[in-house]
Amino acid sequence: MRKESTVRKWSLNAIVLLLGLFLVACSSNKANTSKASRGNYSGPVYTVKRGDTLYRISRMTGSSVSELARLNGISAPYTLEVGQKLRVKGSSGSSAKKTAVAKTSKPRASTTSSVAKVAAPPVGAKCWRWPTMGKVIVPFSSSDGGNKGIDIAGKRGQPIYASAAGTVVYVGNQLRGYGNLVMIKHNEDYITAYAHNEKTLVNTSQKISAGQKIATMGSSGSDSVNLHFQIRYRANAIDPQRYLPPMGSKPSC
């Protein structure tokens, strides 16, 4: 019972910790998003629509995530509301500012305002395998608001595998913009995340072996069929391609 309680507690902590990190991490919502799915962007003001994230808005408006956050008084985890008016790059005018402040001045819970940076682990410190096969269409980026994982293109229904053995700590679609998401804890240092799945085939607290099928590829929370995959080391995102073996080969460890 105690062990089960610990897993549940870690699962909740993982969701709270990664919420803010994920909302600015995934770049699967590409710049070619149709106008029908975008917010209303007129001059210096952007109106938030369902599914928007601060990173997505930054790409559409040409403003950086940090600039949008500063202009609108938004702090991590950068929670947005449908209909919210945001000032964008180069905007001015008291009415836009007042509207934005009115929408964003409410106190928000923020447990992820900062994550201490740690040195990346050496290559080979842990054995990883590719979660699926396909072309990496968006690589990892360590820049502000960049893609904190990799996006792998594929076919709908294509198998998604666990990159290493561990315990499932989250299965759900509560993180807006990431669709059906699975997170696996591998030990006290590592966690992996698999987003935009069509179907999830595992449950929270389930023990998973390396290479076990955990989901099928889809486009939930995305504009295209792909897998958004992250490896986090002590809560910090690291470049998966630096640690994965060559595409198509098995890990040598």
Side-chain angles (χ1 to χ4, degrees), residues 20 22 47 52 81 98 100 103 124 144 146 193 199 237-238 249 253:
F22 268 80
T47 303
D52 276 342
E81 300 174 3
K98 289 178 181 178
K103 286 285 186 179
D144 181 27
K199 291 182 180 179
I238 57 178
S249 64
C253 45

Side-chain angles (χ1 to χ4, degrees), residues 3 32 42-43 68 70 73-74 83 87 89 92 99 124 142 145 154 157 176 200-201 207 211 218 241:
K3 184 177 181 182
N32 63 355
S42 176
L68 284 172
R70 178 182 59 79
I74 303 174
R87 297 174 62 204
K89 186 175 182 179
S92 59
T99 302
S142 59
R176 188 176 63 185
T200 52
L201 308 175
K207 297 292 183 183
Q241 288 186 278

Side-chain angles (χ1 to χ4, degrees), residues 168-247:
V168 178
V169 291
Y170 178 79
V171 176
N173 55 12
Q174 285 79 20
L175 297 183
R176 188 176 63 185
Y178 301 92
N180 298 321
L181 174 68
V182 174
M183 293 194 289
I184 300 175
K185 178 187 177 184
H186 303 284
N187 55 33
E188 293 305 315
D189 290 330
Y190 293 97
I191 184 172
T192 52
Y194 313 75
H196 305 315
N197 305 305
E198 180 174 47
K199 291 182 180 179
T200 52
L201 308 175
V202 293
N203 300 306
T204 303
S205 302
Q206 183 177 339
K207 297 292 183 183
I208 300 296
S209 58
Q212 180 175 335
K213 185 177 179 180
I214 60 172
T216 59
M217 188 180 291
S219 57
S220 58
S222 176
D223 297 314
S224 62
V225 176
N226 73 95
L227 169 68
H228 176 72
F229 174 64
Q230 289 194 17
I231 299 178
R232 288 189 173 268
Y233 175 69
R234 297 179 182 175
N236 290 277
I238 57 178
D239 184 356
Q241 288 186 278
R242 183 183 176 197
Y243 299 92
L244 291 166
M247 176 74 78

Side-chain angles (χ1 to χ4, degrees), residues 18-31 51-59 65 138-141 145-152 175-179 181 193-196 220-224 226-230 232 237:
L18 293 178
L19 175 61
L21 299 171
F22 268 80
L23 289 178
V24 296
C26 178
S27 63
S28 295
N29 296 320
K30 304 298 183 298
D52 276 342
T53 64
L54 209 59
Y55 175 68
R56 185 180 186 183
I57 295 171
S58 74
R59 286 178 60 108
V65 170
V138 184
F140 176 87
S141 172
N147 194 34
K148 296 302 180 280
I150 56 176
D151 295 355
I152 307 171
L175 297 183
R176 188 176 63 185
Y178 301 92
L181 174 68
Y194 313 75
H196 305 315
S220 58
S222 176
D223 297 314
S224 62
N226 73 95
L227 169 68
H228 176 72
F229 174 64
Q230 289 194 17
R232 288 189 173 268

Side-chain angles (χ1 to χ4, degrees), residues 5-48:
S5 174
T6 301
V7 171
R8 286 178 184 152
K9 182 179 180 181
W10 204 98
S11 176
L12 178 59
N13 289 342
I15 296 170
V16 172
L17 174 63
L18 293 178
L19 175 61
L21 299 171
F22 268 80
L23 289 178
V24 296
C26 178
S27 63
S28 295
N29 296 320
K30 304 298 183 298
N32 63 355
T33 305
S34 65
K35 291 184 179 181
S37 63
R38 295 181 178 180
N40 180 22
Y41 179 34
S42 176
V45 178
Y46 180 92
T47 303
V48 177

Side-chain angles (χ1 to χ4, degrees), residues 145-165:
N147 194 34
K148 296 302 180 280
I150 56 176
D151 295 355
I152 307 171
K155 298 179 180 179
R156 188 175 302 280
Q158 183 173 316
I160 305 296
Y161 304 102
S163 191

